[in-house]
Amino acid sequence: MWFMLQADAERRASHASASTSKATTHSKQHQQQQQQGDFMTPQQRLLFALCDSYSDVFYAAKPYPGGPGWSADVADEAVDAIIVHVLNHCAKTADLIKRNNDRIKAADPGDVAPVPRDQGFTRAKALILLPMRNMAFNLVRRLVALAQKETRADSVHGKEKFLEQFVGGDDAGDAGGEAQQSGSKRKGAEKPAEHKALFKGNLDDHFRLGIRITRGQIKLFADLLQSDIIVASPVGIATKLAEDAAAAAAVTAAKAGKGAKGAAASAPAAAAGGEADFLSSIEVCVIERADVMLMQIWQHVVTVLAALNQLPKQQHGTDIMRVRL
């Protein structure tokens, strides 16, 4: 009888311990969820915190799409953290300029106040480099979704043009090729899932896209000088820099010319300089999938990074007194 009572007591104690452990587990999970907030995982929260501290972050060994644990229906948590940081940086900069503009307008004409240093030479504050259009399509689509959530913008200008230029490519060709080879034996080994996911879609490596974000609208294909975020490939920026160098050389040659012929040549050339000034005030630079860029021409990446934050060739309507020192 004593053994039966002891067994019953032990069983009740084990049930109570299990209930307590379950309650403790639920409490810990709830606390973790409260600490994470809108972040999916603690790793995503940590990556955002590193980016928000404006430290140089090197994220090595990033998993390939299509690899173990990857799902096309789940957003890339690392990319989401970087996008949120970029959007947060642009929003804080815009809010600071707006507050200073309101303060200047409300000030009395006789007041002598220091001019706020809150702007750059140009509007663009973030540059995101990607190797191919298919990756740019996924990133921009996610960026627009998060920007609409944060800024409550109700319209996206240029969506049709974006879909036309960044969707397609190899998708139709792959489908046709698979249908053609369905009855025959395929040559060589089957391509791995990582390869299929990485090289699916438009594989063009030459593109530039300016994105301007306001309270009510997100404008794709905005002028690069009037954009908040620039999404481009290294070769796309490098060719723009080459065009600007050619324009500067034309200006020099026109100024060196003499007579009416030289004066006539200088008129169109004088307005051609400064096409690469959109890189003069970049504050956040993201290089996504640098390993793929290594398999392209890495010198283009070096050229782009060397061109960041150089003195512009034209003023572009900027109030020089408000440019950050």
Side-chain angles (χ1 to χ4, degrees), residues 29-210:
Q29 290 178 351
H30 181 67
Q31 290 178 358
Q32 290 177 356
Q33 289 177 356
Q34 285 184 335
Q35 292 176 356
Q36 291 179 15
D38 293 333
F39 297 98
M40 298 170 59
T41 61
Q43 290 79 9
Q44 186 185 42
R45 182 184 181 87
L46 175 61
L47 179 58
F48 175 80
L50 289 172
C51 294
D52 196 50
S53 66
Y54 292 94
S55 303
D56 293 334
V57 180
F58 176 57
Y59 187 2
K62 183 181 178 181
Y64 274 97
W70 181 83
S71 174
D73 299 328
V74 179
D76 189 334
E77 62 181 40
V79 173
D80 276 6
I82 294 170
I83 291 175
V84 170
H85 169 61
V86 170
L87 293 174
N88 185 45
H89 177 77
C90 294
K92 287 192 297 185
T93 303
D95 288 342
L96 177 62
I97 295 174
K98 184 178 182 301
R99 288 199 305 268
N100 288 334
N101 289 339
D102 294 340
R103 183 170 59 83
I104 292 173
K105 291 179 181 178
D108 294 332
D111 292 345
V112 179
V115 179
R117 299 280 187 172
D118 56 359
Q119 300 180 15
F121 291 107
T122 54
R123 183 184 177 101
K125 296 295 180 288
L127 172 66
I128 304 177
L129 296 177
L130 298 111
M132 295 179 292
R133 286 182 184 255
N134 58 350
M135 301 179 190
F137 170 75
N138 294 328
L139 185 139
V140 172
R141 184 176 59 176
R142 187 62 179 160
L143 187 149
V144 169
L146 292 175
Q148 286 182 310
K149 179 180 178 182
E150 295 296 329
T151 63
R152 299 180 181 177
D154 54 0
S155 65
V156 180
H157 181 74
K159 184 189 297 183
E160 294 77 10
K161 183 179 179 181
F162 174 71
L163 294 175
E164 179 182 349
Q165 293 191 9
F166 284 80
V167 177
D170 292 350
D171 287 337
D174 290 344
E178 290 179 0
Q180 188 177 3
Q181 295 179 1
S182 59
S184 60
K185 224 182 212 183
R186 297 194 178 204
K187 296 181 180 179
E190 182 72 16
K191 294 179 181 178
E194 293 90 341
H195 183 279
K196 291 181 179 179
L198 194 63
F199 295 99
K200 180 181 180 181
N202 194 331
L203 304 182
D204 181 27
D205 64 347
H206 188 282
F207 58 90
R208 297 183 295 265
L209 175 65

Side-chain angles (χ1 to χ4, degrees), residues 257-272:
K258 296 181 180 180
K261 184 176 180 180
S266 64

